[in-house]
Amino acid sequence: MRRKLVVANRKMNGSLPSNAAFLEGVLAGILDYHHADYAVCVPHPYLFQAEAILKGSPVAWGGQNMSRFASGAYTGSVSPRMLTEFGCQYVIIGHSERRQRGHDTDHAIGERFEVATQAGLKPILCIGETLAEYEEGMTDLVTIRQLNAVISEIGVKGLAGGVLSYEPVWAIGTGKAASAEHAQNVLSFLRGHIEMLDAEIAKNIQILYGGSVKAENAAKLFSMSDVDGVLVGAASLNTDEFVAICQAASNACV
Ligand code: 13P
């Protein structure tokens, strides 16, 4: 059975003292919730702090982006090895906040996914449609295009090393989460697409939902058979709220 995974995407938030309070609060808060997996993706300068606080704990940590290159003249970029040097297990790839600003093309994201898995990281591949695309009924078309861009780089078996996250752009930071039914429909559609290519990969790959996940809607999302977890933005800035989401994930696995 696939385990549920709760990932905090802290985006460009935090400070040394507030991160410490959050990470220590999460560690204390999840003590009784052993049935799910947890990770926190922090801004790169805070990776050393995440490692210092989370090492040896049930909470993994990761970056929010990385370069597909090993080293070189790429000002402002971070290589996969830099992430693994700080103990990262995860890296978010292709978040819409990066795709939209033109930094990340489908092709570049595909390459990055492959490089991440080769470096021993688990990429969390974000895909999702904009509001205009949603309103035009293009959800399936857009998400499959984004997924296929990665599959064409690495082959369907390459997906085994990563996690997929459906994040409709219209639900991110808007407070308007997709309904659990919508999330289930899209995730089941994506899993069905992967299944046509490789049934084993489809059965095992964790597919998350992201977009205005809160304590209040988490349990319903986790009750859906294809929702293997959530990627949490704003609600991961509040320790109690994030711990409540972790609790809902763990309870859903009992
Ligand atoms: P919010 O939870 O703030 O909507 O952000 C979701 C997200 O972007 C996770 O990667």
Side-chain angles (χ1 to χ4, degrees):
M1 197 178 122
R2 296 182 303 269
R3 281 173 71 88
K4 304 272 190 216
L5 172 65
V6 180
V7 182
N9 176 7
R10 301 261 297 166
K11 306 195 179 181
M12 197 175 71
N13 293 294
S15 62
L16 289 172
S18 67
N19 299 340
F22 172 74
L23 296 173
E24 279 156 13
V26 169
L27 288 182
I30 60 154
L31 275 181
D32 293 330
Y33 311 137
H34 325 282
H35 301 290
D37 295 325
Y38 312 109
V40 179
C41 291
V42 300
H44 295 144
Y46 297 135
L47 285 173
F48 82 95
Q49 186 189 22
E51 181 177 34
I53 295 176
L54 300 176
K55 199 169 187 171
S57 83
V59 179
W61 61 98
Q64 299 173 5
N65 186 42
M66 56 159 235
S67 169
R68 64 186 187 282
F69 301 109
S71 64
Y74 303 103
T75 303
S77 298
V78 164
S79 75
R81 194 173 57 83
M82 291 171 187
L83 296 180
T84 55
E85 271 189 321
F86 284 92
C88 289
Q89 293 99 314
Y90 290 94
V91 60
I92 297 173
I93 301 273
H95 193 281
S96 59
E97 285 157 14
R98 297 192 53 84
R99 288 182 192 257
Q100 280 183 329
R101 287 171 182 81
H103 299 297
D104 294 356
T105 61
D106 284 346
H107 175 68
I109 292 162
E111 285 186 339
R112 216 170 291 170
F113 190 100
E114 179 172 30
V115 171
T117 54
Q118 285 166 350
L121 290 159
K122 254 185 186 272
I124 302 172
L125 171 67
C126 298
I127 59 175
E129 80 286 9
T130 63
L131 180 61
E133 289 163 342
Y134 171 68
E135 287 174 347
E136 284 169 34
M138 290 168 65
T139 301
D140 293 356
L141 204 75
V142 172
T143 52
I144 289 296
R145 188 201 76 220
Q146 293 170 333
L147 177 58
N148 279 346
V150 172
I151 293 177
S152 71
E153 285 296 320
I154 56 165
V156 66
K157 294 221 183 292
L159 290 179
V163 174
L164 195 57
S165 187
Y166 168 57
E167 304 213 320
V169 178
W170 46 269
I172 294 178
T174 59
K176 294 185 189 132
S179 68
E181 292 77 12
H182 174 82
Q184 165 60 25
N185 286 343
V186 178
L187 268 55
S188 145
F189 168 74
L190 294 170
R191 200 181 300 283
H193 177 76
I194 299 169
E195 193 173 14
M196 286 190 301
L197 304 170
D198 191 311
E200 196 59 22
I201 301 287
K203 194 174 83 180
N204 293 320
I205 191 168
Q206 284 174 307
I207 312 185
L208 316 183
Y209 164 78
S212 298
V213 175
K214 308 180 194 74
E216 149 196 319
N217 55 21
K220 182 94 190 281
L221 283 161
F222 290 130
S223 73
M224 298 288 153
S225 60
D226 282 292
V227 178
D228 303 322
V230 289
L231 189 48
V232 184
S236 75
L237 301 179
N238 178 308
T239 310
D240 292 344
E241 185 82 10
F242 186 71
V243 167
I245 295 169
C246 296
Q247 179 181 13
S250 182
N251 288 347
C253 301
V254 178

